[in-house]
Amino acid sequence: MRQPLRVATFLAPNMLPVYRAVADYFGRRLGVLVELREGRSFDEFAQGELDAGFICGLPYVVLRRQPEPPIEPLAAPVLRGSRYGSRPIYFSDVIVRHDAPWRSFAELRGRSWAYNDRDSHSGYNITRYTLLRMGEMRGFFGRVVAAGFHQAAIRLVADGAVDASAIDSQVLAVELREHPQLAEQVRVIDTLGPATIQPVVAASGLPAALKDDLRAALLALDGEPESRAALEYGLVERFVPIADADYDDIRAMLAVAEATGFLTLR
C-alpha cells in the first residue's frame, strides 16, 4: 500500500474548508489516505516531507528560482464574481475602519499599516510594488505591524489598532460574509492588482503519473457533488490548469523590489 499523500496549506486559515475538500477528493479519486496539515516550512518540499500543497504566488516564484525547483504548478482556482472575469486571478483590497477619512491608498502616508506575512504577495509584495510605482520606499507608513494572517490584520484594522491593510480579496470576502460585524467595521478604499492567484503545487520529485492524477482531480473537482459546498464556501468556481509562466506578473513585481533594494516595508 502506498504511503499517505502528504498535503499542506501555507495559506489563510479561513480557506481550510476548501483545502480539506481538495484533499478529501484526492483521497477518493486516487484511492489513498491523505494527510492535510499546516505547512511549517517551504523546505519540506525539497526534503521529501510533502507531496503537494497550497502556497502563495510569492514563495512559489522564489522556490522556482532554485537550480532544481522543488515544486511544480498543478492548477489554480477561478473565483466566482464578475471582477475575476473567469480567470485565475485575485486582488488585494485595501481596508480601513468604516469611519476613517481616507479614500485611497495614496492618502495613507504616515498611517499605520498591518501585513499578514512577508511571504505573501497580496499582503506584502504588491504593497512594495505599489509604493515603488508611486515613487515611494521606506518611510511612507508611520508604523508597520506583522499580523501573522489576513484575518488578524482585518481585526487590527476593525479594532483601530492600525489604520489600514491590504487583504487577499477572496479571504476578505469570505471573512466579512462569515463575520457580519466585521463588514460593519471596515471598508475597502482601494484595490491593488490583479495578480495570478495562488497555485496548488506538487513536489517535483513525485512520479509524473501521480502529478497528472492530481491535476486531473483538481480539474474535475467542480463536478464532484461532495465537494461543491466547500467550493461555494470559498467562492471557488472551478480549478484550471496553470503554468509557471503565468506567475511572471509576480516575478516582475519582486524583481523591481529587489533591483531597488526595497525588500522590507519598515
Side-chain angles (χ1 to χ4, degrees):
M1 181 177 179
R2 187 187 184 280
Q3 70 174 13
L5 187 73
R6 301 158 300 176
V7 182
T9 171
F10 293 85
L11 300 177
N14 75 345
M15 289 295 112
L16 186 59
V18 177
Y19 311 144
R20 172 59 65 189
V22 173
D24 288 348
Y25 187 50
F26 283 162
R28 290 194 298 274
R29 186 175 174 110
L30 277 62
V32 298
L33 179 66
V34 179
E35 297 176 351
L36 176 66
R37 60 179 173 82
E38 183 178 329
R40 299 186 302 272
S41 166
F42 297 116
D43 293 337
E44 293 177 278
F45 289 105
Q47 293 167 355
E49 298 173 11
L50 287 177
D51 300 312
F54 308 90
I55 72 171
C56 182
L58 179 58
Y60 168 80
V61 301
V62 172
L63 289 170
R64 289 288 300 180
R65 287 174 165 179
Q66 297 183 18
E68 296 183 6
I71 56 171
E72 296 178 13
L74 294 174
V78 172
L79 301 181
R80 298 177 183 275
S82 58
R83 73 188 300 197
Y84 301 108
S86 297
R87 298 164 56 204
I89 60 173
Y90 73 136
F91 298 85
S92 296
D93 288 330
V94 180
I95 62 167
V96 299
R97 274 186 58 84
H98 70 97
D99 54 355
W102 312 294
R103 301 291 171 181
S104 70
F105 180 86
E107 295 178 35
L108 297 175
R109 177 185 294 279
R111 301 294 123 192
S112 55
W113 179 265
Y115 66 90
N116 57 329
D117 188 277
R118 286 185 60 177
D119 286 326
S120 170
H121 172 72
S122 60
Y124 205 87
N125 189 47
I126 200 167
T127 303
R128 290 184 310 208
Y129 180 72
T130 301
L131 288 172
L132 286 168
R133 291 192 65 186
M134 292 167 55
E136 300 284 353
M137 289 181 66
R138 298 177 188 85
F140 179 81
F141 298 118
R143 181 167 59 98
V144 178
V145 176
F149 291 104
H150 278 305
Q151 296 97 302
I154 295 169
R155 284 161 176 78
L156 286 175
V157 174
D159 294 341
V162 297
D163 294 318
S165 184
I167 309 296
D168 174 316
S169 57
Q170 179 190 22
V171 173
L172 181 64
V174 170
E175 196 70 4
L176 298 188
R177 183 195 66 206
E178 296 300 302
H179 302 277
Q181 74 279 9
L182 287 176
E184 298 175 358
Q185 294 175 283
V186 302
R187 62 184 175 86
V188 175
I189 62 166
D190 216 333
T191 295
L192 313 180
T196 307
I197 200 167
Q198 305 97 328
V200 184
V201 301
S204 298
L206 284 186
L210 180 53
K211 294 175 194 172
D212 290 342
D213 288 344
L214 292 174
R215 183 177 293 106
L218 287 163
L219 303 187
L221 189 62
D222 61 300
E224 211 270 330
E226 291 184 54
S227 304
R228 194 165 296 133
L231 294 184
E232 291 177 356
Y233 164 89
L235 307 178
V236 176
E237 181 179 297
R238 67 189 187 280
F239 282 84
V240 295
I242 205 78
D244 181 67
D246 291 315
Y247 292 90
D248 285 349
D249 56 343
I250 295 177
R251 283 191 178 91
M253 294 184 209
L254 175 59
V256 170
E258 291 176 332
T260 58
F262 184 31
L263 300 180
T264 62
L265 293 176
R266 299 181 187 277

